[in-house]
Amino acid sequence: MGPSRERGACCFVQRLFACIDHGYPAVMPVSVSTVDPVVVDAVLFDIDGTLVDSNFVHVSAWSRAFREAGRQVSAWRIHRCIGMDGSKLLESLVGSSDSALAAEAKRLHGEYYAAASTDLEVLPGARELLADIQSRGITVVLATSAPEAELSTLRDLLDVEDSVAVVTSGEDAEVAKPEPDIIAVALERAGVEPPRAVMVGDSVWDIEAAGRAGVRAIGVLSGGISRAELLDAGAVAVFDDPADLLANIENSPVYTGEGASA
């Protein structure tokens, strides 16, 4: 075997094990010496917990807000609801989204989250991942239902406007994840059909919303949800964080086309 064929075989074996390690079936390439072509036209990204390390800032803000509104709610229960539609979160944690307690907790959460914005950090590899995907001719979409004030803070922190083509916010859909509405808006604005897109998110709510919209989903562990839960929710692959996805982008569903129609 010549040097070039040896390198090709080595590359194939590395890609095979990377596929298995990240939770989805390895796709046999036609030739081990070539890279599979990009099979998506758009990648949709959640922000909280996916690109920005913000989930536990939200947990702290909600915990304090509930306590001061008159209800003690365990932090672990709050964490399980992060990424869910705000009304559904309140219903799950305090039994109603339109009670006086819920209204006060929501107001206080906004104040405490804004005050803690200096604790937010961009996750490793987030900026580089978006820039890399954009450089490959793929449309980058920030598909979030965050309120406009929070979204503005997150966008300023991320500083990725040159890489992003489409952005959604909480004002674009009446109900948020796990309902698919915000994903549908993102796809429409990007001009992309569901089979030609992939969603990247950190919560089961992201994965479920994508599935209901007919979009394959990649999970990341950076929001604190386990690999098993993300896979059970329907993720076709799971990576540690944006840096891990970037390092394995050519072994990911962006290239392998898991579940995509040509």
Side-chain angles (χ1 to χ4, degrees), residues 39-121:
V39 296
V40 301
D41 297 320
V43 180
L44 284 57
F45 288 92
D46 173 59
I47 302 180
D48 282 310
T50 300
L51 300 175
V52 175
D53 194 359
S54 56
N55 283 6
F56 294 98
V57 175
H58 276 296
V59 170
S60 178
W62 276 118
S63 180
R64 183 180 173 190
F66 286 132
R67 184 171 59 253
E68 296 197 15
R71 179 73 60 87
Q72 189 74 31
V73 181
S74 298
W76 72 266
R77 293 187 184 278
I78 298 171
H79 178 248
R80 303 291 299 177
C81 293
I82 297 299
M84 181 189 285
D85 175 80
S87 294
K88 292 183 183 296
L89 178 149
L90 289 166
E91 290 171 3
S92 296
L93 296 175
V94 296
S96 172
S97 62
D98 56 8
S99 66
L101 185 152
E104 178 66 0
K106 183 176 180 179
R107 182 187 69 80
L108 290 170
H109 166 265
E111 290 183 7
Y112 298 150
Y113 178 82
S117 61
T118 54
D119 294 332
L120 300 173
E121 294 184 3

Side-chain angles (χ1 to χ4, degrees), residues 111-161:
E111 290 183 7
Y112 298 150
Y113 178 82
S117 61
T118 54
D119 294 332
L120 300 173
E121 294 184 3
V122 177
L123 282 161
R127 294 189 182 105
E128 295 82 358
L129 174 61
L130 269 58
D132 180 86
I133 289 174
Q134 189 273 337
S135 74
R136 297 171 188 265
I138 303 171
T139 299
V140 174
V141 180
L142 300 182
T144 178
S145 56
E148 285 289 350
E150 292 179 16
L151 178 58
S152 177
T153 298
L154 293 168
R155 291 178 72 173
D156 287 345
L157 177 66
L158 276 169
D159 190 23
V160 290
E161 298 303 307

Side-chain angles (χ1 to χ4, degrees), residues 145-254:
S145 56
E148 285 289 350
E150 292 179 16
L151 178 58
S152 177
T153 298
L154 293 168
R155 291 178 72 173
D156 287 345
L157 177 66
L158 276 169
D159 190 23
V160 290
E161 298 303 307
D162 289 345
S163 300
V164 174
V166 176
V167 182
T168 66
S169 76
E171 295 187 357
D172 294 317
E174 291 186 7
V175 290
K177 304 163 188 171
E179 299 304 321
D181 301 42
I182 205 71
I183 309 298
V185 171
L187 291 171
E188 181 180 4
R189 290 184 180 175
V192 175
E193 294 298 317
R196 299 296 302 179
V198 66
M199 173 83 186
V200 181
D202 67 290
S203 73
V204 295
W205 319 118
D206 295 320
I207 309 304
E208 289 180 5
R212 293 178 184 183
V215 174
R216 291 166 299 126
I218 296 172
V220 288
L221 301 177
S222 44
I225 302 301
S226 72
R227 183 184 305 274
E229 288 176 285
L230 294 172
L231 290 172
D232 286 347
V236 296
V238 177
F239 296 84
D240 289 346
D241 58 13
D244 187 28
L245 175 54
L246 175 60
N248 293 280
I249 192 69
E250 290 172 1
N251 301 315
S252 78
V254 174

